[in-house]
Amino acid sequence: MKRAVLSCNGMDKQFGSLARELALKLSETQGTEIICPVLLNNSPDRYEKTLAESSLLVVDGCPTRCASKLANKLGLKVDDKVLISEEAKTTGLEVGKSLRLGPVGMQLIELLSKECLVSRQISVEEASAGFDSPVDFITVTHDKFIFKIPSHDYLFSENDCWVRVIGNRARIGVSDFVQQNLTDITYFEPAEVGREIEQFDEVGSLESGKSMMDALSPVSGKIVAVNTELVDSPELVNEDPYGRGWIAEVELDDFESDKEVLLDAAAYSRIVEKKAAEAN
Amino acid sequence: MTIDVKKQKIIVMPCSGIGKVHGLIAREATYAVTDELAPDSFEPMCLALLVSGDEEALAKIKKMDCITVDGCPKLCAAKNVEMAGGKIVRSIRVVDAFKNYRGAEPGTATKLADDGWTIVSEIAGGICNKREGEVS
Ligand code: SF4
């Protein structure tokens, strides 16, 4: 399900300014749609469709709770709430008096946007039902290494990324061969949700003590979700590269033509064999 | 700049303008006036506070003069102050300031570029000069 955020526009209070900053951050990093409180009050019809299709997060700056009051007055269904002044107290961060975003404010927004990611994660999981981990694999053995490749449902690019498609949605990740080559993955940087991408554009990057790799999307379209769980737990790519270690989801643009250059499991296994041999 | 601080302050009310560069310019121009250029003469107010029907805000807006700064021609700030019974002594539209800067690249909804800051200064300066003109 999509997400929308209704935040107060706090002008003369630092927590209000931060409420607005959080809304902007969520929209930039997660594609959450922003609902302007004033426009909503003046012309509620303008947001009718968004509200019907989205789960709603309300962000208030201070205990006056203007955004919550507005949501209440208009009878909106609120799924989640954040009160910035309370959050600041809980985290112990002193944001100071300035109405502009300073380093501590930025830290708080960073923290809160990650927390809000958790609820997004749930909705992403719901929306992506069906993308469960594979059970049947073919294997490529080289020396002491065994590389697994799901035998059904997955297509691969020559640059070792996989794609799995359900309806108009594609999930993307990197292969077992990549994760074994990188060894222990310590850092994941997600792509920006909402960005339109061409086939083989970057959809996130992975880093280990050994090297770094950009994951290149095997398909073109719009990034609709990123696996935020990897930000805190990048090791999931090592543990389950075709399942919980997925990297991004894309709303497909032209899968029929993207498919022309993608490989099935058998064809990809030959590439892995070759690469593994070359690596030694 | 000579400003008569004995005079009652004027409220500067930008639109919410969240997610749009024009709105960010309205907001930054307001901060420039109320934080830096003339905090003794002007004060900001949350538009959402007014819109949500806060009684204190409603009472205040009826007592004090108000300058509204709207990003776009929808004029959310001006309309809501008017609806609340406030007295608007000047209504500024950021889009109008752009007319003097054809082809300007103001930046984004989260970060202004040089052209955006130039427009902020022009709007903020205009607000302060008005008050100066009024008192001198
Ligand atoms: S909740 Fe507080 S900060 Fe936000 S608009 Fe209302 S009064 Fe201003």
Side-chain angles (χ1 to χ4, degrees):
Chain A
M1 194 175 200
K2 291 187 202 161
R3 282 192 109 204
V5 58
L6 168 65
S7 82
C8 77
N9 74 326
M11 190 62 212
D12 56 358
K13 299 171 190 74
Q14 73 275 49
F15 291 127
S17 298
L18 289 173
R20 176 180 164 280
E21 294 293 342
L22 178 59
L24 287 168
K25 175 92 184 174
L26 292 175
S27 126
E28 267 181 7
T29 57
Q30 300 177 37
T32 306
E33 187 168 340
I34 293 176
I35 296 182
C36 168
V38 183
L39 199 52
L40 174 72
N41 183 63
N42 291 4
S43 342
D45 294 355
R46 157 86 178 62
Y47 292 111
E48 206 173 307
K49 189 162 176 276
T50 306
L51 288 165
E53 291 172 349
S54 319
S55 69
L56 182 64
L57 166 71
V58 171
V59 182
D60 283 303
C62 76
T64 311
R65 295 180 187 265
C66 293
S68 293
K69 279 185 194 158
L70 190 61
N72 197 18
K73 174 175 132 190
L74 298 173
L76 305 182
K77 182 180 168 289
V78 176
D79 299 286
D80 211 349
K81 277 189 181 188
V82 174
L83 176 57
I84 304 275
S85 53
E86 270 306 308
E87 299 291 342
K89 240 190 257 166
T90 317
T91 56
L93 288 172
E94 294 281 344
V95 296
K97 290 260 176 289
S98 173
L99 297 170
R100 291 194 170 109
L101 186 67
V104 182
M106 220 170 335
Q107 206 186 333
L108 180 62
I109 295 306
E110 206 57 53
L111 263 171
L112 291 177
S113 67
K114 280 203 186 126
E115 262 174 41
C116 294
L117 281 172
V118 177
S119 16
R120 172 164 174 81
Q121 181 62 27
I122 293 161
S123 59
V124 166
E125 293 293 357
E126 281 163 3
S128 312
F131 283 115
D132 39 354
S133 300
V135 282
D136 295 326
F137 297 93
I138 55 177
T139 53
V140 172
T141 311
H142 186 83
D143 292 343
K144 59 182 187 329
F145 298 103
I146 298 170
F147 303 109
K148 288 168 118 187
I149 300 165
S151 42
H152 310 289
D153 302 328
Y154 290 67
L155 289 174
F156 302 84
S157 64
E158 289 201 21
N159 39 39
D160 307 296
C161 293
W162 56 260
V163 59
R164 186 172 176 194
V165 172
I166 295 183
N168 192 36
R169 205 168 168 115
R171 187 171 265 198
I172 292 157
V174 295
S175 70
D176 186 30
F177 178 70
V178 164
Q179 73 78 14
Q180 290 199 45
N181 265 287
L182 283 174
T183 63
D184 292 342
I185 296 167
T186 49
Y187 183 72
F188 167 67
E189 175 149 356
E192 180 195 338
V193 173
R195 186 156 56 86
E196 297 281 348
I197 52 163
E198 299 290 335
Q199 190 175 30
F200 306 130
D201 277 354
E202 188 204 315
V203 282
S205 59
L206 300 167
E207 211 177 315
S208 68
K210 200 173 158 197
S211 65
M212 152 172 192
M213 182 214 173
D214 287 335
L216 304 180
S217 173
V219 290
S220 54
K222 182 176 167 188
I223 301 177
V224 288
V226 289
N227 188 355
T228 53
E229 214 181 336
L230 297 186
V231 174
D232 290 329
S233 312
E235 68 280 2
L236 286 173
V237 179
N238 295 114
E239 287 164 17
D240 189 9
Y242 301 111
R244 288 185 70 197
W246 63 277
I247 284 178
E249 284 186 6
V250 167
E251 216 165 68
L252 291 163
D253 213 8
D254 187 3
F255 185 51
E256 283 313 304
S257 61
D258 292 340
K259 231 167 39 180
E260 286 169 19
V261 290
L262 299 180
L263 311 161
D264 62 14
Y268 180 62
S269 68
R270 288 192 287 276
I271 301 253
V272 171
E273 259 167 38
K274 215 168 130 219
K275 287 189 182 187
E278 280 167 6
N280 284 345
Chain B
M1 188 176 300
T2 47
I3 290 169
D4 181 355
V5 289
K6 291 192 293 294
K7 265 191 169 275
Q8 194 186 38
K9 281 193 188 180
I10 294 178
I11 291 174
V12 186
M13 175 86 87
C15 71
S16 173
I18 187 165
K20 300 186 190 78
V21 68
H22 288 63
L24 181 58
I25 290 177
R27 187 176 188 91
E28 286 295 347
T30 304
Y31 284 149
V33 171
T34 59
D35 261 20
E36 292 148 19
L37 297 174
D40 293 332
S41 290
F42 300 94
E43 66 177 55
M45 186 192 268
C46 304
L47 183 53
L49 185 64
L50 189 68
V51 163
S52 66
D54 183 85
E55 291 194 357
E56 227 174 279
L58 286 167
K60 201 167 179 183
I61 208 89
K62 285 190 180 118
K63 275 204 314 252
M64 294 167 71
D65 287 347
C66 184
I67 293 177
T68 54
V69 190
D70 277 298
C72 76
K74 283 200 178 85
L75 297 181
C76 289
K79 281 184 191 158
N80 282 287
V81 170
E82 227 162 60
M83 257 160 34
K87 183 177 160 216
I88 299 174
V89 290
R90 192 162 168 217
S91 157
I92 294 169
R93 302 189 328 166
V94 173
V95 275
D96 293 337
F98 268 82
K99 287 183 190 146
N100 301 330
Y101 295 93
R102 293 214 184 277
E105 286 178 12
T108 65
T110 47
K111 199 166 188 309
L112 295 182
D114 288 349
D115 286 350
W117 285 113
T118 306
I119 298 170
V120 164
S121 304
E122 182 173 305
I123 294 173
I127 295 173
C128 293
N129 288 340
K130 163 85 182 168
R131 179 108 215 212
E132 195 177 3
E134 167 205 4
V135 294
S136 55

